[in-house]
Amino acid sequence: MDLYSAQRIVEAEAARTGLGTGPNRRLRLTLIIGMPLVFPVIGIMILVPEFLRNDILFVYQAGIIGCLLHYAWVFAKYPRYAGRPPYLTRDLAMGGGFFLPSLMLGFWPGIIAAPAWALFVGIAYAVELTREHYAHR
């Protein structure tokens, strides 16, 4: 086993467990920070005066949009399945997790975009596998 193979095995194991490395880590941190943040936002909205509630809501909604754009940016950086680090496709599909916070706050662009994003990643993966299958015939 050469050094490159050993390094790929270590990276694959790190990507599978914990936060991973590189783009896997960035996507997982985006999800870990963005999704549960809905609960403190709801708590803050309860505590602040009524005239500030919409401003807090708009800031969080902008955060959801930013998280989904980050997922799109990472996908644009690694568009081909063969060129992605291990488990990155799974982490890209996790962007659909922003559906629940969007649903809780009634943010319809997130309600539509998050599941559409997960569906897009799945279809892109299936197309890539089909293309590979027919290319090797």
Side-chain angles (χ1 to χ4, degrees):
M1 178 183 310
D2 61 353
L3 183 60
Y4 178 74
S5 298
Q7 184 178 8
R8 290 282 293 173
I9 291 170
V10 168
E11 286 176 2
E13 187 60 25
R16 189 179 67 79
T17 61
L19 286 177
T21 59
N24 296 81
R25 174 184 291 263
R26 289 192 305 269
L27 289 179
R28 291 175 190 177
L29 285 174
T30 300
L31 191 68
I32 289 170
I33 292 169
M35 270 187 61
L37 195 60
V38 71
F39 298 112
V41 166
I42 291 172
I44 291 170
M45 287 174 58
I46 291 171
L47 297 174
V48 300
E50 192 171 335
F51 69 91
L52 286 176
R53 289 182 186 158
N54 280 340
D55 296 334
I56 293 169
L57 183 62
F58 292 149
V59 168
Y60 183 70
Q61 289 172 349
I64 289 175
I65 290 170
C67 290
L68 289 171
L69 286 174
H70 179 246
Y71 274 77
W73 178 72
V74 171
F75 184 85
K77 217 171 157 186
Y78 299 98
R80 303 288 308 235
Y81 174 73
R84 290 184 192 147
Y87 297 101
L88 186 61
T89 303
R90 178 192 69 180
D91 293 339
L92 283 167
M94 284 184 189
F98 287 103
F99 172 76
L100 289 177
S102 299
L103 186 64
M104 290 174 72
L105 296 175
F107 181 52
W108 66 268
I111 293 171
I112 294 168
W117 173 255
L119 187 63
F120 169 74
V121 171
I123 290 171
Y125 174 69
V127 167
E128 187 82 22
L129 288 181
T130 304
R131 184 182 299 163
E132 256 182 45
H133 176 71
Y134 285 113
H136 294 302
R137 276 188 150 190

